[in-house]
Amino acid sequence: MTEWRLLVAAGRAQLVDITQEVQDLPGVGRFRSQLLRDAVTGEEFDLVGTPARLLEPTLFDLVADLERGPQAILPRDLAWIAWILGLEPGDTVIEGGAGSGALTLTLARIVVPDGRVISYEPRLSHRRILECNLQRSPHTAQVKVVPQELTPDSEPTPCQALVLDVPQPWELVGWASTALESGGRLVAYLPTTGQVTQLLAQLEGWGELRVVENIQRDWTTRSQALRPQSRMQGHSGFIVSARHYT
């Protein structure tokens, strides 16, 4: 059983599992975790000569520190997907292609305490990373990982939302029509316009069709030289959303 905290020390913030016997952290060094377990969350304390503070990690902290494998959905797209799905606590959402679990963690945080995230992930290498990352979340009880590919022959599970991060989501539109309750939403995350075109052709008759591409441009934080940064986060994927009415 893990217990994660955000340690702020030596000019950096990093996730630590305080159940481990010993920590060995950049900028701080090697020390026993009992020092962290004895600390009061939110209050400054001395950590082997370094002023430090323990905080409860937020969703932002958890996603930013994920173990990487398959490309994770970026925060700007996570926020849009979570918003457009319109999820509520207690909802069931099905995820086709979980990858590293950034979206899985986000969805699980929304549907607590009684909701479910059912994540289909057929690749063993991806599942190992996903399950490792899920251990950092306090909402793992909300997540069921299915070690299979989501296909048109999969048993439909009634749900309020469906997210597809798979190469050919148009093959699952019929399945989605069966699984989604009336008013439920489908979202697909796709890298190319060709995939978007094929999916839109299959979504004819659905409501509230929308295609969004989020572009992010950060700015410098120097007050005397405020300007856009030289590099920006460009294309990562198209977010296609639609609403199902029976």
Side-chain angles (χ1 to χ4, degrees), residues 15-95:
L15 282 177
V16 293
D17 176 11
I18 65 174
T19 64
Q20 293 183 3
E21 187 63 28
V22 175
Q23 305 285 341
D24 192 356
L25 303 177
V28 180
R30 187 177 176 86
F31 59 91
R32 290 191 174 277
S33 294
Q34 190 62 46
L35 293 173
L36 302 179
R37 293 193 287 268
D38 291 341
V40 178
T41 300
E43 295 186 6
E44 186 174 294
F45 66 100
D46 180 80
L47 180 62
V48 292
T50 301
R53 195 181 302 268
L54 274 185
L55 303 174
E56 293 286 348
T58 65
L59 178 62
F60 175 89
D61 301 317
L62 295 173
V63 171
D65 199 59
L66 289 181
E67 181 178 341
R68 303 297 179 182
Q71 182 175 352
I73 297 177
L74 296 177
R76 66 174 192 242
D77 292 332
L78 292 176
W80 179 265
I81 292 171
W83 179 79
I84 201 69
L85 286 175
L87 290 172
E88 300 284 349
D91 281 349
T92 295
V93 55
I94 295 175
E95 186 181 26

